[in-house]
């Protein structure tokens, strides 16, 4: 038998003194002391043995729920576009309660930001190898062959932007929800600026001006605008036009129009 602590004993004494029935009061107080000891021992066991495991379980469940909602949003953007995308629709597709979107993302705008960041990271991963190859080939290209270089590289750049994986991003940028995106700067830093640097390097070669000159910067931006307007607008003729469904000869015609436009910007023969 283990004697109770001094604090516990004092608590018992206080209960006995305050009670008109000392025996009953002592019994009640001893019971409370025992409950407190058991509760403290249980809490200490949880904190030592189970806290880390419980924390990992909660974290894993949170990550799984967030990923499920992001993937559902991506699927809906891929299949239906950004118009009419709502919290309830995403939650229904993910088979969860729609209040979880508020809990995990602070609302639909937060979820759209998370989807947007995911799409930009994916586009960045796709476009980086192209830009590395672009710069390596540009260094080996003579000035007299720059027009041929543009004819070979710009269609490839358009294909990178129009990959199926990037369709949710295109649909999101083309939707009314684009105005609520709080992480739009991420697209500029990870995609637009690297592409602008590559096109400006090409512009510097074509105009024989310093890379850091205002003229080269503006020309590079104009070329980037041609590519991004084509990508972001989802094609000027029809917003829902599917790149993959365009006949091969029509694809070539579109490529040629964009290439000729960029050649004119660079003051090169088309």
């Amino acid at each position: 038998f283990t004697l109770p602590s001094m604090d516990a004993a004092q608590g018992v004494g206080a209960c006995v003194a305050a009670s008109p029935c000392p025996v009953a009061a002592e019994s009640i107080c001893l019971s409370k002391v025992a409950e407190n000891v058991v509760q403290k021992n249980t809490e200490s066991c949880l904190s030592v043995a189970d806290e880390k495991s419980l924390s990992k379980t909660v974290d894993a469940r949170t990550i799984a729920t967030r990923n499920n909602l992001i993937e559902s949003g991506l699927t809906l953007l891929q299949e239906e576009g950004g118009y009419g995308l709502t919290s309830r629709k995403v939650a229904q597709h993910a088979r969860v309660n729609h209040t979880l979107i508020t809990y995990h993302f602070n609302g639909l705008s937060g979820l759209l930001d998370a989807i947007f960041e995911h799409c930009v990271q994916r586009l960045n991963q796709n476009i980086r190898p192209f830009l590395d190859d672009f710069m390596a080939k540009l260094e080996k290209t003579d000035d007299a062959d720059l027009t041929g270089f543009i004819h070979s590289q710009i269609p490839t750049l358009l294909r990178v932007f129009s990959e199926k994986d990037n369709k949710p991003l295109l649909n999101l940028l083309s939707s009314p929800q684009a105005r609520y995106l709080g992480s739009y700067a991420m697209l500029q830093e990870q995609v637009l600026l690297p592409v602008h640097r590559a096109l400006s390097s090409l512009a510097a070669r074509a105009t024989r001006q310093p890379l850091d000159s205002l003229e080269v910067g503006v020309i590079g931006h104009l070329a980037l605008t041609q590519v991004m307007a084509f990508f972001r607008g989802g094609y000027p003729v029809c917003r829902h036009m599917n790149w993959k469904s365009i006949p091969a000869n029509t694809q070539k015609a579109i490529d040629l129009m964009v290439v000729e436009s960029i050649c004119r910007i660079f003051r090169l023969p088309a």
Side-chain angles (χ1 to χ4, degrees):
F1 179 77
T2 304
L3 291 173
S5 64
M6 290 298 296
D7 292 339
Q10 290 173 358
V12 172
C15 288
V16 171
S19 174
C21 181
V23 175
E26 183 176 0
S27 175
I28 293 171
C29 290
L30 285 173
S31 176
K32 289 183 177 179
V33 170
E35 288 178 2
N36 290 335
V37 171
V38 171
Q39 183 178 0
K40 288 181 180 179
N41 288 339
T42 304
E43 290 175 353
S44 63
C45 288
L46 283 175
S47 63
V48 172
D50 299 330
E51 189 177 38
K52 290 184 178 180
S53 176
L54 182 61
S55 177
K56 289 180 180 179
T57 302
V58 172
D59 290 344
R61 189 180 302 162
T62 298
I63 293 172
T65 302
R66 287 176 61 88
N67 287 342
N68 184 24
L69 289 168
I70 290 173
E71 289 297 330
S72 292
L74 286 169
T75 300
L76 290 172
L77 284 168
Q78 178 85 18
E79 297 176 352
E80 303 179 10
Y83 289 81
L85 188 67
T86 64
S87 296
R88 290 184 180 276
K89 185 177 287 187
V90 174
Q92 183 178 7
H93 187 277
R95 297 182 179 181
V96 298
N97 192 297
H98 71 277
T99 58
L100 287 176
I101 294 179
T102 301
Y103 178 80
H104 288 287
F105 299 99
N106 200 26
L108 180 61
S109 60
L111 174 60
L112 291 176
D113 270 332
I115 293 172
F116 182 76
E117 291 176 6
H118 177 85
C119 291
V120 170
Q121 290 172 357
R122 181 183 293 175
L123 177 57
N124 177 265
Q125 292 173 356
N126 292 339
I127 209 166
R128 283 290 178 179
F130 166 80
L131 293 178
D132 292 340
D133 184 66
F134 181 97
M135 295 304 297
K137 289 180 178 178
L138 180 60
E139 290 182 2
K140 299 177 182 178
T141 302
D142 295 332
D143 290 347
D145 297 330
L146 288 178
T147 297
F149 177 83
I150 294 173
H151 275 264
S152 66
Q153 293 298 308
I154 295 303
T156 305
L157 178 58
L158 292 176
R159 295 299 183 279
V160 173
F161 275 116
S162 60
E163 282 291 330
K164 183 179 179 180
D165 287 347
N166 299 326
K167 189 174 181 180
L169 177 59
L170 186 153
N171 288 338
L172 185 55
L173 289 172
S174 302
S175 72
Q177 285 90 342
R179 69 173 70 100
Y180 302 116
L181 294 174
S183 54
Y184 191 81
M186 185 179 181
L187 177 65
Q188 181 178 0
E189 294 172 2
Q190 295 197 16
V191 178
L192 301 185
L193 288 179
V195 175
H196 179 262
R197 283 193 290 268
L199 293 174
S200 294
S201 297
L202 177 57
R205 288 282 305 277
T207 61
R208 299 182 181 181
Q209 296 292 326
L211 180 60
D212 58 353
S213 67
L214 176 62
E215 181 180 0
V216 166
V218 171
I219 292 175
H221 182 73
L222 290 172
L224 175 62
T225 301
Q226 293 292 308
V227 174
M228 286 306 298
F230 196 79
F231 166 69
R232 178 171 178 172
Y235 318 116
V237 177
C238 178
R239 184 177 62 82
H240 295 291
M241 186 181 293
N242 184 0
W243 179 273
K244 299 298 182 183
S245 66
I246 300 175
N249 59 338
T250 307
Q251 287 187 14
K252 291 179 181 179
I254 294 173
D255 290 347
L256 183 60
M257 286 186 283
V258 177
V259 165
E260 289 178 347
S261 176
I262 292 177
C263 284
R264 284 192 291 269
I265 291 172
F266 288 158
R267 302 169 187 169
L268 293 170

